[in-house]
């Protein structure tokens, strides 16, 4: 279940950011891509983004919109943004069958997402969602139901 307005911060646009925790340890990147896609379909025209945070890690945002990661185990925050084809993502999500989500043997495709790692040496700037000194940058997509990562660095 996706809950609207779970996390409310002045610099996070309402209804445009979905969060997920225990991120890398539970291998939740694919799940966050689906959440972002689902919300893009429900809120046409909005710029949905995802933020995942690893275990023993905090993404702290100050009053000026500067976010820094504090971690006890080299954890990261993960920023997921649909690429240039986010309207295509929204259209695909709107046209997906409501129930059941997938038939046995049916595969899904989600194009272009940009995944940016925010490490302890990085800075996230809100509300623009830009990252200075990213820990890593990748392009992600789901092709025939499989998550594919393409490192950009």
């Amino acid at each position: 279940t996706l809950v609207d307005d779970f996390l409310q911060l002045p610099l996070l646009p309402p209804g445009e950011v979905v969060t997920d925790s225990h991120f890398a340890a539970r291998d939740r990147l694919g799940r966050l891509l689906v959440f972002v896609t689902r919300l893009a379909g429900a809120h046409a025209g909005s710029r949905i983004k995802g933020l995942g945070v690893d275990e023993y890690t905090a993404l702290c945002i100050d009053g000026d919109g500067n976010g820094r990661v504090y971690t006890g185990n080299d954890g990261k925050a993960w920023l997921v943004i649909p690429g240039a084809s986010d309207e295509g993502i929204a259209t695909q999500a709107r046209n997906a069958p409501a129930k059941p989500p997938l038939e046995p043997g049916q595969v899904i495709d989600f194009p272009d997402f940009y995944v940016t790692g925010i490490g302890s040496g990085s800075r996230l700037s809100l509300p623009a969602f830009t990252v200075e000194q990213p820990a890593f940058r990748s392009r992600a997509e789901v092709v025939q139901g499989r998550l594919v990562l393409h490192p950009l660095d």
Side-chain angles (χ1 to χ4, degrees):
T1 302
L2 293 175
V3 178
D4 288 342
D5 299 327
F6 171 71
L7 181 62
Q8 297 178 12
L9 296 172
L11 295 169
L12 292 180
E16 291 191 13
V17 179
V18 60
T19 59
D20 204 349
S21 60
H22 306 283
F23 203 71
R26 296 187 184 170
D27 199 19
R28 289 187 165 168
L29 179 58
R31 178 171 112 149
L32 188 57
L33 296 179
V34 171
F35 288 169
V36 168
T37 301
R38 182 173 166 194
L39 287 174
H43 303 284
S46 64
R47 301 287 299 170
I48 303 295
K49 297 155 207 68
L51 279 172
V53 179
D54 289 340
E55 289 181 327
Y56 306 109
T57 303
L59 174 61
C60 299
I61 302 169
D62 68 20
D64 294 325
N66 298 307
R68 297 220 182 256
V69 166
Y70 298 91
T71 181
N73 64 349
D74 197 33
K76 297 182 180 40
W78 301 59
L79 175 62
V80 173
I81 299 178
S85 58
D86 60 330
E87 183 56 37
I89 292 169
T91 300
Q92 184 174 1
R94 278 193 302 275
N95 293 333
K99 293 192 186 251
L102 293 173
E103 295 292 326
Q106 181 182 354
V107 295
I108 57 174
D109 293 306
F110 296 136
D112 266 354
F113 290 87
Y114 293 96
V115 180
T116 304
I118 307 165
S120 58
S122 307
R123 189 179 94 187
L124 172 67
S125 295
L126 297 177
F129 288 90
T130 58
V131 178
E132 294 176 19
Q133 298 181 324
F136 63 85
R137 295 178 323 115
S138 299
R139 189 175 65 79
E141 60 185 332
V142 176
V143 179
Q144 295 290 304
R146 295 192 182 271
L147 177 61
V148 180
L149 289 173
H150 308 279
L152 296 174
D153 292 328

